[in-house]
Amino acid sequence: MIIRTDASTNIGSGHVMRCLTIAKNLEKQNVDVIFWMKDLPGHLINYVQQEGFETINRAEKAELYLIDHYNIDEEWEKDHRQYTDKIVVIDDLANRPHDCDLILDQNFLPNFESRYDELVPKHCIRLLGPKYLIMRDEFIEARLKEKERNNHIERILVFMGGSDPTDETIKILKALSQFGNSFEHIDVVVGNGNINKEEIKRICDRQGYDYHCQIDYMAKLMQKADFSIGAGGSTTWERCYVGLPSSSTIVAENQALTTKYAHELGAVLDLGWHEKVTVETYVDLLLKLKNREVEVNQIGRIGLSLTENTFPNPWIDEVMELLT
């Protein structure tokens, strides 16, 4: 099986990270997984290799191709049918047609069940909505050990995505500097693709915050936290899955609809588009956390209810069916 995906300073790390989750789950089912990735600025090829997977840079024959890439559509997929019998697509946008045998979109939107009706073939299996969340084992374990949250916001987790192309982390650190010791503990997480990671580390060291880079223990940090300041995207659902109240700043077009809808449902605080989110926006948010603690914790409870599953990662069986 070949996974076609990429990471870069512009693309971010989310596609690769969720594909690693898929790969590790399928590896447990004795599936050999290879990653096809381009050598882009901020790529995660070395990280994928460190996680135990072979990487390639061109098409090869495989029983199944899994594609997680916004720049790939029906034309590319039809062209690559010569290399594979089955194609699985991971998507969030529903903005282009696909020639695939299975499509997985884990996002919760008002029309999530029908938005691919005209975009995939009739025979295509559709795994749509939060029932099909792609969750790492650490998050599944964290949900089983669900934290009993009180109404005190003392520990803050900051994670604005692996590359944070709009420099939200720096804005947040400037906002936090105005609060002195108002919060008991601050965890700041960045990815290897963040071009400002060294500056962020220096600020964290100076202000006494815990700095983490390209980690594999995010769920543990989420368990400990009382609130997370984050970006939209797949980490929104990870925060919901462990019942962590959070805010989301929209830093990419693909995050807009899901962030706004999650806000309408009460599962996240939507701060809006990054261009309009300033240091003062984050200062206002931090002030509200101290005055609206009961309301904030209700956000976490709504997140838990939206991500209820009969069992974790039900998409595994569906993908395995294609391989038999």
Side-chain angles (χ1 to χ4, degrees):
M1 170 181 165
I2 289 174
I3 293 179
R4 176 69 186 97
T5 190
D6 279 320
S8 75
T9 51
N10 290 325
I11 295 171
S13 63
H15 298 281
V16 168
M17 296 307 291
R18 69 182 174 189
C19 283
L20 277 170
T21 299
I22 292 169
K24 289 176 181 178
N25 275 282
L26 293 178
E27 193 177 46
K28 293 175 185 175
Q29 306 293 322
N30 298 314
V31 177
D32 291 326
V33 181
I34 296 171
F35 279 72
W36 173 7
M37 301 168 66
K38 288 185 177 180
D39 187 357
L40 303 171
H43 67 78
L44 290 176
I45 293 172
N46 293 339
Y47 183 75
V48 169
Q49 292 170 348
Q50 288 167 14
E51 291 294 298
F53 296 98
E54 180 186 347
T55 61
I56 57 175
N57 57 15
R58 62 185 181 278
E60 294 183 5
K61 284 194 175 294
E63 189 175 350
L64 185 146
Y65 266 42
L66 185 145
I67 301 157
D68 189 345
H69 207 299
Y70 294 152
N71 293 330
I72 288 177
D73 61 8
E74 179 183 47
E75 183 178 351
W76 189 100
E77 291 149 6
K78 284 182 181 295
D79 186 53
H80 285 74
R81 283 285 184 183
Q82 60 184 302
Y83 297 102
T84 186
D85 295 326
K86 300 291 182 180
I87 292 177
V88 171
V89 169
I90 313 298
D91 198 9
D92 306 295
L93 303 178
N95 67 347
R96 62 205 187 282
H98 291 288
D99 176 29
C100 59
D101 303 286
L102 185 152
I103 191 156
L104 194 164
D105 184 337
Q106 62 187 339
N107 290 289
F108 194 19
L109 290 163
N111 63 335
F112 76 89
E113 292 177 310
S114 61
R115 65 190 197 130
Y116 288 93
D117 284 356
E118 306 302 319
L119 299 177
V120 297
K122 297 295 184 187
H123 75 272
C124 179
I125 299 164
R126 304 174 199 186
L127 309 183
L128 307 175
K131 176 182 178 181
Y132 296 103
L133 287 174
I134 302 165
M135 281 293 155
R136 302 201 296 272
D137 288 348
E138 59 169 317
F139 287 97
I140 295 168
E141 291 168 12
R143 178 144 183 156
L144 292 173
K145 302 172 185 174
E146 183 186 332
K147 175 181 177 179
E148 185 66 38
R149 300 185 184 277
N150 57 35
N151 292 324
H152 299 294
I153 310 297
E154 299 294 346
R155 295 182 66 106
I156 304 292
L157 171 63
V158 178
F159 177 55
M160 302 306 298
S163 60
D164 186 12
T166 63
D167 293 334
E168 299 306 308
T169 306
I170 299 290
K171 294 182 198 174
I172 296 163
L173 291 174
K174 288 178 180 177
L176 282 164
S177 70
Q178 300 184 31
F179 286 82
N181 296 321
S182 296
F183 297 99
E184 179 183 296
H185 190 93
I186 309 291
D187 285 299
V188 179
V189 181
V190 300
N192 280 330
N194 190 315
I195 61 174
N196 293 316
K197 59 181 180 287
E198 295 304 324
E199 180 185 357
I200 292 168
K201 185 178 188 306
R202 285 193 294 271
I203 296 171
C204 288
D205 290 344
R206 187 170 65 245
Q207 296 184 187
Y209 306 153
D210 279 6
Y211 169 88
H212 313 264
C213 183
Q214 201 62 51
I215 60 172
D216 60 0
Y217 50 88
M218 181 68 80
K220 290 182 180 178
L221 294 182
M222 287 188 180
Q223 270 187 300
K224 293 177 180 178
D226 299 312
F227 190 85
S228 178
I229 305 175
S234 57
T235 53
T236 297
W237 301 117
E238 291 172 350
R239 299 189 298 262
C240 287
Y241 194 79
V242 298
L244 176 61
S246 70
S247 66
S248 281
T249 300
I250 302 169
V251 300
E253 183 67 40
N254 62 290
Q255 300 174 0
L257 289 176
T258 52
T259 299
K260 289 174 182 176
Y261 191 54
H263 175 80
E264 288 177 20
L265 295 171
V268 72
L269 293 175
D270 175 17
L271 299 185
W273 279 91
H274 64 91
E275 300 102 319
K276 296 183 179 180
V277 175
T278 64
V279 173
E280 286 307 312
T281 307
Y282 290 117
V283 169
D284 289 344
L285 170 67
L286 291 164
L287 285 171
K288 287 174 183 175
L289 294 184
K290 289 295 185 181
N291 299 322
R292 296 163 55 186
E293 291 174 322
V294 174
E295 179 185 340
V296 165
N297 277 301
Q298 177 64 13
I299 294 171
R301 288 189 285 273
I302 292 172
L304 281 171
S305 68
L306 287 178
T307 54
E308 284 180 341
N309 278 342
T310 50
F311 59 96
N313 290 330
W315 49 266
I316 296 171
D317 290 340
E318 300 282 357
V319 175
M320 289 302 298
E321 278 289 315
L322 290 179
L323 285 165
T324 56

